[in-house]
Amino acid sequence: MTDSTGVFQHAVFGVPNFAEGYCTDDNARVFVLSVLLGELGEDPEATRSLATTSAAFLHHAFDRAAGRFHNFMSFDRHWLDQHGSEDCQGRALWALGMGVGRSPFHNFQMLAGELFIQALPVLAGFSSPRGMGLRAAWHT
């Protein structure tokens, strides 16, 4: 349930729900899945296409000035938030880390590494239990 922008956030009986748009959380999960499928050599053309779409979504979701990812995007491609939750940031960083360390495609490794480095400093200010757990895991 993707289009050229990314995976849809919700569906109604397997039909994309355009009213719910897209989210970075889900596109980060898709990028992780595509990296794992790429490692397994599953349908290389489809896997690369999925990785390209989800990586492009993550790249677009990152607000360089704020050092954070947006999370919610409407179907008409407008961001609906100033920035995503700490969970969203963590999920995006997890996906980028997977891309750096495990993607079989050099261009995804490079893009993921660049975004990961730019997004990492925001961890220092996290205060939610999950956000602090992510920060603690990074410093271990």
Side-chain angles (χ1 to χ4, degrees):
M1 293 199 308
T2 63
D3 65 6
S4 62
T5 299
V7 64
F8 291 99
Q9 184 174 356
H10 295 287
V12 179
F13 301 110
V15 176
N17 184 348
F18 293 164
E20 298 294 326
Y22 313 86
C23 73
T24 297
D25 282 338
D26 291 343
N27 280 279
R29 290 180 185 103
V30 169
F31 188 64
V32 168
L33 175 64
S34 67
V35 167
L36 295 173
L37 290 172
E39 277 186 324
L40 296 172
E42 294 289 327
D43 193 350
E45 187 176 319
T47 297
R48 189 176 184 117
S49 177
L50 197 57
T52 299
T53 300
S54 55
F57 190 95
L58 292 172
H59 184 262
H60 183 61
F62 188 65
D63 177 353
R64 280 162 181 69
R68 294 190 66 145
F69 291 88
H70 291 281
N71 195 18
F72 299 111
M73 177 189 275
S74 66
F75 180 69
D76 63 356
R77 286 34 170 205
H78 290 95
W79 292 112
L80 301 173
D81 56 10
Q82 185 176 359
H83 57 75
S85 67
E86 290 181 3
D87 283 356
C88 168
Q89 308 308 307
R91 208 160 277 116
L93 283 164
W94 167 55
L96 296 171
M98 290 286 292
V100 170
R102 297 178 70 170
S103 176
F105 303 109
H106 184 68
N107 59 330
F108 295 129
Q109 292 171 354
M110 298 301 294
L111 174 71
E114 176 186 299
L115 285 175
F116 189 91
I117 288 167
Q118 292 176 35
L120 197 58
V122 76
L123 288 177
F126 281 7
S127 60
S128 74
R130 286 188 214 184
M132 290 174 15
L134 180 62
R135 185 176 64 214
W138 174 251
H139 289 297
T140 308

